[in-house]
Amino acid sequence: MVRLDGGTFTMGTDSDVGFPEDGEGPPREVTVDAFYVDRYAVTNAQFAEFVQETGYTTDAERFGWSFIFEEFVSDADRSQIHRNVPAAPWWVAVEGADWFHPYGPSSSVVDDDLLKHPVTHVSHRDAVAYAEWAGKRLPTEAEWEYAARGGLEQRRFPWGDTLEPDGEHRCNIWQGEFPEHNTGADGYRATAPVDEYEPNGHGLYNPSGNVWEWCADWFSPEYHTTDAYDHDNPRGPSEGNERVMRGGSHLCHESWCNRYRVAARSKNTPDSSTSNIGFRCVVDVE
């Protein structure tokens, strides 16, 4: 982990490349206290240790299925597809998909050499369970953005405003035409190891791209514009139906999901799991 001393920063954006309906803006001054944050997203190896010690069963294992980007499903597991998402048909529900079998029941984080990759197919509840076991917690949305910005003020990405400075790939996102063809020009078509690419100014790896990261907050597109919003160590509303996700993933492309920007937000129900959602943890400074 890395210690961040906290401070005041400008959270959110009013950029015209954003999604106002997500509540990315307006920009506002926010203060967070000091905290420790994981340099990397939680890996399959770390999650395996948690499961081995506790016997924990993830939501995807209890449900018996999880969502996978269709092109990652092997021929051997095609028969396990039982439906897709009408609004995004490239997402398919696969029987037997879970954190240990991320691309279907015939895949394995061990056999496919994915132990150093971020754990996926973890719901918000699964992430909270791991964090509690590890003596940590999920970051608030404000803490996540403060850490992801790496000390830069109102920049689009953790490293600046240019997606590929000097032609260098700095994150794992979709390269090519979405969803038809991913060139893998950044080195990966699916997840990358958690220590890939250059870290940001705070020493965090992959806050943009690779996998979405769960935050502690309930999602609301307008709560931060109300009088109830506290600009000191803010949290989302006290209840809701969906939790905040941040950072985008390897499946994000500017034509569809331009949410690998540090101010971008998304959401999902607490029991949802997919092949591109993971998390990292924080710890309070005593």
Side-chain angles (χ1 to χ4, degrees):
M1 305 187 85
V2 59
R3 175 181 168 134
L4 302 182
D5 289 333
T8 300
F9 74 106
T10 304
M11 184 174 178
T13 184
D14 56 6
S15 169
D16 58 4
V17 302
F19 297 90
E21 65 274 17
D22 289 348
E24 293 186 9
R28 64 271 185 196
E29 295 297 299
V30 162
T31 300
V32 294
D33 291 339
F35 61 99
Y36 292 93
V37 60
D38 287 342
R39 292 184 183 272
Y40 315 102
V42 173
T43 65
N44 285 308
Q46 290 172 307
F47 201 80
E49 183 180 0
F50 159 62
V51 169
Q52 184 175 22
E53 183 171 315
T54 65
Y56 182 81
T57 301
T58 61
D59 278 335
E61 291 170 294
R62 292 192 302 105
F63 297 150
W65 62 273
S66 188
F67 284 110
I68 303 176
F69 192 78
E70 185 173 17
E71 77 166 61
F72 297 149
V73 182
S74 70
D75 291 341
D77 291 334
R78 288 275 159 180
S79 62
Q80 303 304 311
I81 297 175
H82 65 86
R83 65 184 174 91
N84 64 8
V85 179
W90 44 85
W91 281 112
V92 292
V94 179
E95 299 284 349
D98 55 50
W99 76 271
F100 193 79
H101 309 93
Y103 302 122
S106 67
S107 66
S108 159
V109 298
V110 175
D111 295 340
D112 297 335
D113 194 25
L114 299 175
L115 289 175
K116 201 175 179 180
H117 287 232
V119 66
T120 57
H121 297 286
V122 283
S123 69
H124 190 273
R125 295 191 296 221
D126 301 333
V128 168
Y130 173 92
E132 291 178 348
W133 168 80
K136 304 179 181 182
R137 60 175 175 81
L138 295 184
T140 66
E141 187 176 12
E143 289 172 332
W144 188 96
E145 186 169 328
Y146 179 80
R149 288 190 175 279
L152 301 180
E153 185 73 8
Q154 284 293 282
R155 297 303 186 210
R156 187 169 294 178
F157 306 110
W159 52 86
D161 287 327
T162 303
L163 179 60
E164 298 172 11
D166 297 324
E168 179 186 5
H169 292 287
R170 301 295 296 270
C171 63
N172 178 18
I173 57 176
W174 189 281
Q175 305 287 329
E177 297 295 324
F178 185 87
E180 290 82 14
H181 178 60
N182 186 353
T183 67
D186 53 31
Y188 300 91
R189 290 172 53 249
T191 58
V194 297
D195 60 352
E196 191 61 87
Y197 310 107
E198 290 294 317
N200 73 2
H202 288 327
L204 272 65
Y205 288 76
N206 293 299
S208 285
N210 214 21
V211 293
W212 284 102
E213 298 184 8
W214 287 115
C215 292
D217 303 38
W218 289 108
F219 180 88
S220 167
E222 69 277 332
Y223 179 76
H224 59 282
T225 67
T226 68
D227 291 341
Y229 185 75
D230 189 345
H231 291 254
D232 291 332
N233 298 301
R235 296 178 178 273
S238 59
E239 58 185 14
N241 298 316
E242 297 164 310
R243 296 284 188 175
V244 172
M245 303 188 305
R246 285 300 207 108
S249 81
H250 58 279
L251 299 177
C252 281
H253 185 268
E254 62 179 358
S255 67
W256 174 259
C257 176
N258 183 16
R259 292 182 173 87
Y260 43 87
R261 297 166 294 105
V262 287
R265 319 173 68 214
S266 194
K267 60 189 184 297
N268 221 325
T269 56
D271 60 353
S272 292
S273 63
T274 71
S275 60
N276 69 335
I277 301 178
F279 66 101
R280 76 179 73 214
C281 301
V282 300
V283 172
D284 295 319
V285 172
E286 296 295 338

